Amino acid sequence: MDRLDVIIIGMGVGGEAAAGRLLAAGRRVAVIERELIGGECAYWACMPSKTLLRAPEARAEASRAAGVATPAIDWPGLRDYHDYMIRHLDDTAQVKGYEQAGATVIKGPARLAGPGRVEAGGQLLEADHVVIATGSDPVRPAVDGLDQVPVWTNREATNVRDIPSRVLLVGGSAVGVELGQFYAAMGAQVTIVQRAGRLIDREDPRVGELAAQALSAQGVTVRTGVTPVSARKTGQAAVVTLDNGSQVETDVVILGAGRRPATDSLGLEATGAQLTGSGGIAVDEHCRAGEGLWAAGDVTGVALFTHVATYQGRVAADNILGRDRAASYAGIPRVVFADPEIAAVGLTAAQAAARGIATATAEISVADSVDRSWTYERDPRGAVGLLADRDRAVLVGAWAVAPLASEWIHYAALAIRAQIPISVLLDQVAQFPTYTEAYLAALEQLGL
């Protein structure tokens, strides 16, 4: 094979973002994927989970809207649509599409054999640039006997065929909250155990408090500050013992205790690439990991979000194309697609304090401040919180737990990214009636 311009290892969203840009620019590209082109997000995470969540969400919306009968969920119909959305776990069309675009496609594992050299598919490939976008793997906590009971990761949980009667979710972040609500809505008895003292512990405590209230209202048992220590089989079920001595009986244990960068067996030592403390490939602001070596997505450990992987893939590709682009992670939104949705951006109060930022905070009730909340549902729910830098009079953090928060968090995300003065935000006019109007009420409460 002739020398290539770029070899991309891993074709999840980060690898695909880079490949699309590079192929469009006429570069000779080889793409290598050991599983399915599209990666975790397309087949086992974002797309299937949000597809599954939509039906319970729509039913709940109907139950809260005036003058609407509550619809039933058609599980076989939802399951069929889910299968369509994940392409029936078949990437034949994706392989053909990349080949037609001029890429060399190799299905199988890859290993770095030195700078600009990759072993894959029984051959040695050489290129001026190599992009690593191998994603992440689920963390499997050390629990005695866990291998003796039914255990699912997000893969099994989002490709479920029959809803279990009882579910124990280990981890109370995005995966735990989203899957907990889904399985509860489908009739399962759900328990979430979280090692931290609150749910969604990467966000401000108030966010976790509101999330716990929403889950409890839907019948989910939330237990924080506890950790599974052992598991054993009893008949067809499992009994999981927690570190406080209590036990939970369940039909399946679903792991949502985080993910780690997938760097095993890559042969990074052959390139001189370094790993960070979190186990990710160390990259600079250009997503460069070394001379002619780049990394994008979860494998960097920078921020394990699909949208960050896509962003880093674009940044890496642009730099390979000589466009000198630096990545900025200010204003990256973080969303849990719960009901109501949980969205945040920027710093938490604790992070701001650690940086020595003098802050002003505000929290407002959506029902008390936004007419849209009353047209949207009876007995409106939701709250919005803002965090501002007093000295610079700009937003540095924001969160919302409310309907459609994933859509309108971007107002705050852009304000933080662009450091828009609060005086400008106060003078901006929002469409009436929308949830975005909540920002004005919260901004005025800041008193800056």
Side-chain angles (χ1 to χ4, degrees), residues 288-329:
R288 182 184 291 109
E291 185 63 34
L293 184 65
W294 312 80
D298 287 7
V299 74
T300 68
V302 171
L304 277 61
F305 299 117
T306 294
H307 43 298
V308 172
T310 301
Y311 175 56
Q312 289 180 319
R314 296 197 304 261
V315 169
D318 282 349
N319 281 295
I320 290 171
L321 294 171
R323 295 171 184 165
D324 191 23
R325 182 177 179 184
S328 169
Y329 303 103

Side-chain angles (χ1 to χ4, degrees), residues 300-371:
T300 68
V302 171
L304 277 61
F305 299 117
T306 294
H307 43 298
V308 172
T310 301
Y311 175 56
Q312 289 180 319
R314 296 197 304 261
V315 169
D318 282 349
N319 281 295
I320 290 171
L321 294 171
R323 295 171 184 165
D324 191 23
R325 182 177 179 184
S328 169
Y329 303 103
I332 299 291
R334 307 178 294 271
V335 174
V336 180
F337 288 85
D339 182 16
E341 291 184 344
I342 300 164
V345 63
L347 303 177
T348 65
Q351 290 168 338
R355 298 187 185 190
I357 299 174
T359 59
T361 62
E363 178 183 333
I364 59 104
S365 162
V366 171
D368 293 341
S369 310
V370 181
D371 288 341

Side-chain angles (χ1 to χ4, degrees), residues 7 11 34 37 40 54 84 159 163 220 243 279 293 297 375 379 395 408 410 431:
I7 300 168
M11 284 295 286
R34 63 186 176 91
I37 290 180
E40 195 77 19
R54 179 57 187 148
Y84 162 76
N159 281 276
I163 305 296
V220 176
D243 58 0
L293 184 65
T375 66
D379 191 20
L395 289 181
W408 47 278
H410 296 93
Q431 170 66 41

Side-chain angles (χ1 to χ4, degrees), residues 8-387:
I8 300 174
I9 305 174
M11 284 295 286
V13 293
E16 288 208 275
R21 253 174 163 71
L22 294 165
L23 289 167
R27 297 302 190 265
R28 294 170 298 166
V29 178
V31 300
I32 306 170
E33 173 54 53
R34 63 186 176 91
E35 293 186 297
L36 298 173
I37 290 180
E40 195 77 19
C41 175
Y43 301 98
W44 301 289
C46 320
M47 296 306 291
S49 65
K50 279 49 176 183
T51 299
L52 292 175
L53 285 164
R54 179 57 187 148
E57 177 187 61
R59 182 178 65 178
E61 288 174 351
S63 72
R64 291 190 293 266
V68 180
T70 303
I73 293 178
D74 171 13
W75 172 233
L78 173 56
R79 195 170 55 199
D80 289 347
Y81 186 65
H82 158 276
D83 294 347
Y84 162 76
M85 287 297 291
I86 64 167
R87 308 163 184 162
H88 299 278
L89 297 178
D90 181 1
D91 67 349
T92 302
Q94 283 63 46
V95 171
K96 183 178 180 181
Y98 278 108
E99 290 175 339
Q100 290 177 339
T104 298
V105 180
I106 298 175
K107 297 296 292 292
R111 183 173 179 82
L112 296 159
R117 305 175 75 199
V118 177
E119 296 174 346
Q123 55 188 309
L124 178 64
L125 309 178
E126 295 186 335
D128 298 328
H129 301 275
V130 175
V131 179
I132 302 173
T134 48
S136 60
D137 297 316
V139 171
R140 189 180 180 92
V143 178
D144 289 341
L146 192 62
D147 57 347
Q148 304 300 315
V149 302
V151 175
W152 293 350
T153 66
N154 63 286
R155 291 196 169 194
E156 294 81 11
T158 59
N159 281 276
V160 63
R161 310 314 294 172
D162 298 305
I163 305 296
S165 297
R166 296 169 299 180
V167 170
L168 172 62
L169 281 145
V170 179
S173 291
V175 171
V177 171
E178 290 181 2
L179 291 179
Q181 284 198 323
F182 168 72
Y183 278 99
M186 298 303 294
Q189 178 184 318
V190 176
T191 300
I192 296 176
V193 295
Q194 165 80 328
R195 180 175 59 183
R198 65 180 188 273
L199 297 178
I200 323 291
D201 60 313
R202 72 184 177 202
E203 307 298 351
D204 277 304
R206 180 67 171 141
V207 173
E209 178 185 340
L210 292 169
Q213 290 175 7
L215 285 164
S216 297
Q218 294 166 16
V220 176
T221 299
V222 177
R223 304 181 66 175
T224 57
V226 291
T227 304
V229 293
S230 66
R232 59 183 173 84
K233 192 78 176 290
T234 172
Q236 296 300 310
V239 174
V240 177
T241 301
L242 307 179
D243 58 0
N244 64 358
S246 63
Q247 296 183 330
V248 179
E249 189 168 312
T250 185
D251 296 308
V252 64
V253 176
I254 300 178
L255 302 180
R259 301 182 67 86
R260 63 179 183 83
T263 59
D264 293 345
S265 304
L266 278 176
L268 289 171
E269 63 278 1
T271 67
Q274 302 297 310
L275 297 181
T276 66
S278 64
I281 297 174
V283 294
D284 64 13
E285 68 274 18
H286 303 290
C287 295
R288 182 184 291 109
E291 185 63 34
L293 184 65
W294 312 80
D298 287 7
V299 74
T300 68
V302 171
L304 277 61
F305 299 117
T306 294
H307 43 298
V308 172
T310 301
Y311 175 56
Q312 289 180 319
R314 296 197 304 261
V315 169
D318 282 349
N319 281 295
I320 290 171
L321 294 171
R323 295 171 184 165
D324 191 23
R325 182 177 179 184
S328 169
Y329 303 103
I332 299 291
R334 307 178 294 271
V335 174
V336 180
F337 288 85
D339 182 16
E341 291 184 344
I342 300 164
V345 63
L347 303 177
T348 65
Q351 290 168 338
R355 298 187 185 190
I357 299 174
T359 59
T361 62
E363 178 183 333
I364 59 104
S365 162
V366 171
D368 293 341
S369 310
V370 181
D371 288 341
R372 172 60 170 154
S373 66
W374 291 94
T375 66
Y376 190 81
E377 60 186 4
R378 298 171 296 182
D379 191 20
R381 309 155 297 153
V384 176
L386 298 182
L387 182 70

